[in-house]
């Protein structure tokens, strides 16, 4: 049986995930010349370059792509057999966590989670930035720890749904144009306020939720949910929102709330992270704060 240095698996995974010898060496706490020597041994074993430098990145070859998933599965399987040995203590943690969040999650999900984190780890710092359409490199390079975004927004990352809610239609209490339940015809004839994707003008309630959302007559597009109250109170416009946002954004005595007059797919929000953080005990604790809040 051919002998193989199993430590090379560990080195290979780090290079593949970091796409940089410098970052991989820092992650492994080894020198870069030492890591380069291990990569040379790997290349000899497979008779393949495995990684090629392109635009300051170590891009994997087809053979490297093929063996990564086998290496990763085997590595994770071995880790799962080990007892928890980390001495991580939230009370002693002084990390700065950087979280990218879409606006509506910042309004009603993050406050409870941040309160929980601060109670368990009072020396931690939470930095919140706006979630963008493409954040793969930022989260892979650990410049972002977690992303809170609509489910399905980042298919190349690990994810877990953490929130789902029903939708409703809101208008000003002074709006007397509807005599009973809102009908589909009234919904389509009315003018609407739309919550756009943070940093974009894309409709958050896209075709995957219902084609009727695309047929609305949009009077105003807003990037932040906090701006909805003034727009509703001073107009005859409608807004479609998750029910859990009502108490965060409105004085409920000043609005009327209607059920949507058609079937739709409930919107949901997921937690996203890079696979290179999955086994990190600090990161696992951070994710658990969101999953149980």
């Amino acid at each position: 049986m051919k002998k193989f240095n199993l430590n090379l698996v560990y080195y290979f995974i780090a290079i593949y995930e970091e796409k940089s010898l410098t970052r991989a060496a820092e992650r492994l706490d080894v020198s870069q010349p030492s890591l380069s020597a291990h990569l040379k041994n790997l290349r000899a074993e497979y008779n393949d370059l495995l990684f090629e430098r392109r635009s300051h990145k170590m891009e994997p070859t087809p053979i490297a792509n093929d063996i990564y998933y086998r290496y990763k599965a085997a590595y994770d399987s071995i880790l799962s057999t080990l007892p928890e040995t980390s001495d991580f203590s939230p009370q002693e943690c002084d990390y700065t966590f950087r979280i990218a969040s879409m606006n509506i999650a910042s309004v009603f999900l993050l406050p409870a989670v941040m309160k929980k984190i601060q109670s368990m780890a009072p020396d931690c710092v939470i930095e919140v930035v706006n979630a963008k359409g493409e954040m793969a490199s930022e989260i892979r390079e650990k410049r972002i720890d977690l992303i809170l975004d609509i489910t399905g927004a980042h298919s190349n990352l690990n994810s877990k749904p953490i929130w789902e809610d029903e939708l409703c239609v809101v208008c000003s209490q002074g709006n007397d144009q509807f005599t009973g339940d809102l009908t589909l015809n009234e919904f389509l004839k009315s003018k609407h306020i739309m919550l756009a994707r943070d940093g974009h003008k894309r409709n958050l309630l896209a075709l995957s939720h219902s084609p009727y959302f695309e047929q609305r007559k949009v009077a105003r597009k807003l990037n932040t949910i906090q701006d909805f109250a003034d727009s509703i109170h001073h107009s005859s416009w409608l807004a479609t929102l998750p029910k859990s946002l009502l108490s965060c954004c409105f004085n409920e005595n000043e609005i009327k709330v209607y059920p949507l007059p058609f079937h739709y797919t409930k919107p949901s929000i997921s937690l996203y992270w890079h696979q290179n953080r999955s086994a990190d005990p600090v990161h696992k604790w951070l994710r658990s704060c969101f999953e149980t809040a």
Side-chain angles (χ1 to χ4, degrees), residues 155-209:
S155 58
N156 57 333
L157 299 175
N158 288 7
S159 66
K160 183 172 184 177
I162 59 171
W163 172 88
E164 182 183 84
D165 196 8
E166 294 181 357
L167 294 170
C168 62
V169 180
V170 177
C171 69
S172 169
Q173 185 65 246
N175 188 335
D176 57 3
Q177 61 183 313
F178 312 121
T179 56
D181 284 344
L182 183 69
T183 67
L184 176 58
N185 185 53
E186 290 170 333
F187 179 88
L188 294 176
K189 287 176 64 177
S190 300
K191 290 188 175 181
H192 294 254
I193 304 168
M194 187 183 92
L195 181 64
R197 178 75 167 85
D198 300 64
H200 306 275
K201 291 299 180 184
R202 181 167 63 84
N203 188 350
L204 275 176
L205 299 175
L207 285 171
S208 59
H209 295 286

Side-chain angles (χ1 to χ4, degrees), residues 53-80:
R53 191 176 298 281
R54 297 175 190 162
S55 301
H56 308 292
K57 291 184 179 181
M58 298 292 285
E59 295 292 347
T61 65
I63 289 179
N65 281 326
D66 181 54
I67 64 176
Y68 167 75
Y69 295 101
R70 302 183 191 188
Y71 273 6
K72 183 65 174 175
Y75 181 67
D76 289 345
S77 178
I78 292 170
L79 284 183
S80 69

Side-chain angles (χ1 to χ4, degrees), residues 121 132 183 211 254:
K132 299 180 293 186
T183 67
E254 298 178 357

Side-chain angles (χ1 to χ4, degrees), residues 89-117:
S89 170
Q91 284 289 334
E92 299 175 1
C93 180
D94 59 357
Y95 283 63
T96 294
F97 295 116
R98 200 158 187 255
I99 298 166
S101 176
M102 62 185 299
N103 181 252
I104 63 170
S106 297
V107 171
F108 71 95
L109 278 178
L110 272 180
V113 175
M114 292 173 71
K115 183 177 180 180
K116 180 175 182 178
I117 292 173

